[in-house]
Amino acid sequence: MILNLKQTDEIINNINRLIDLSEKLKLTVIYITNEFPKNSLANFMTKKAVEEGSDGAKIDPRIKVINSNFFIKHKMDTFTCSDFEGFLIKNQINHLIITGLDAENCVDKTVKAAFNRNYKLTI
């Protein structure tokens, strides 16, 4: 997998600024990680980049963590994690600010799923 490291650093800095602003505004910050089971086809396709239990399946250590609102997904769409949507409902969250490094895959799939569920979105 080829990454633009300069762009990744900039995105992580922007995410941290967004977390700081969310904290000041008392908005709920939610962290999502992606991991695939050890013997899955997805692991083969991603060269085990986010294999269950691996460092690649963890939140990047440069990301500022301000709470324990962590959810693990096993597919690109975060809404496939039922605990995630349950958390949104329980906490009466209806506007999502979505960010991430994989815009053409995970972010895109999650945005489409949120839109189909009538969440207000900022991307």
Side-chain angles (χ1 to χ4, degrees), residues 46-109:
T46 62
K47 298 181 181 178
K48 299 185 179 188
V50 290
E51 183 177 61
E52 184 178 37
S54 72
D55 286 342
K58 297 176 184 171
I59 293 285
D60 188 293
R62 296 171 290 176
I63 297 288
K64 182 175 182 181
V65 176
I66 61 170
N67 62 40
S68 60
N69 299 329
F70 282 86
F71 296 92
I72 299 170
K73 63 184 178 69
H74 302 287
K75 295 183 180 180
M76 289 186 219
D77 168 11
T78 302
F79 284 88
T80 61
C81 173
S82 60
D83 291 343
F84 170 72
E85 189 162 24
F87 180 88
L88 298 178
I89 292 167
K90 178 182 173 187
N91 290 281
Q92 300 178 340
I93 298 170
N94 60 11
H95 185 165
L96 305 176
I97 300 170
I98 299 176
T99 188
L101 293 175
D102 193 2
E104 65 188 45
N105 290 305
C106 297
V107 173
D108 177 66
K109 301 289 188 270

